[in-house]
């Protein structure tokens, strides 16, 4: 089993920044993809960004337009999501996820094997 624990959420004004962290623990693994998803009230969970274990390959949702950046500390098995120029529509619960089938970066929730509990991000206007 793998446990994922997110941190770093909170309340921020529009235009501000937040940095989310997600640390993985439990069974050992060496090759993987870690991703961030978000779910706003009344909406489906949507893909935000993901990164391969080497850190060299990343993929982002089109709607981000360069405002977010994903990074990875492989030694710590920790993934980060730097969120800048936040907008009220970014308000959601943000989840990190782990995909142990590391061949491709997947954007579908069903492809991920483990999920964190989520951290709330609220952006006020």
């Amino acid at each position: 089993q793998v446990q994922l624990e997110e941190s770093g959420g909170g309340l921020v004004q529009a235009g501000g920044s937040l940095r989310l962290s997600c640390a993985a623990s439990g069974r050992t693994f060496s090759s993987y993809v870690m991703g961030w998803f978000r779910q706003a009230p009344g909406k489906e969970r949507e893909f935000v960004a993901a990164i391969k274990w080497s850190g060299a390959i990343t993929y982002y949702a089109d709607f981000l337009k360069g405002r977010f950046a994903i990074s990875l500390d492989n030694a710590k098995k920790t993934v980060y999501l730097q969120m800048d120029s936040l907008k009220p529509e970014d308000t959601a619960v943000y989840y990190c996820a782990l995909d142990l089938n590391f061949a491709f970066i997947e954007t579908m929730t069903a492809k991920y094997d483990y999920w964190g509990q989520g951290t709330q991000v609220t952006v006020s206007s």
Side-chain angles (χ1 to χ4, degrees), residues 30-33 51-58 72-74 102:
S30 58
S31 302
Y32 55 94
V33 170
I51 187 168
K52 273 199 169 184
W53 63 278
S54 64
I57 299 175
T58 59
L72 176 68
D73 185 331
N74 192 26
F102 56 89

Side-chain angles (χ1 to χ4, degrees), residues 17-82:
S17 298
L18 280 175
R19 189 192 194 207
L20 305 183
S21 301
C22 174
S25 61
R27 59 170 277 194
T28 58
F29 51 89
S30 58
S31 302
Y32 55 94
V33 170
M34 291 190 80
W36 287 97
F37 290 75
R38 69 184 187 184
Q39 188 166 18
K43 294 188 177 181
E44 292 188 353
R45 194 169 297 188
E46 64 178 355
F47 173 80
V48 174
I51 187 168
K52 273 199 169 184
W53 63 278
S54 64
I57 299 175
T58 59
Y59 187 73
Y60 295 91
D62 290 340
F63 62 79
L64 291 179
K65 300 188 186 299
R67 296 185 297 119
F68 293 5
I70 190 170
S71 60
L72 176 68
D73 185 331
N74 192 26
K76 296 182 179 179
K77 295 292 193 291
T78 299
V79 64
Y80 306 94
L81 186 68
Q82 177 65 40

Side-chain angles (χ1 to χ4, degrees), residues 4-6 9 46 48-49 57 70-71 82 84-85 90-91 119:
L4 301 176
E5 184 172 359
E6 303 102 333
E46 64 178 355
V48 174
I57 299 175
I70 190 170
S71 60
Q82 177 65 40
D84 298 321
S85 303
D90 293 318
T91 295
T119 184

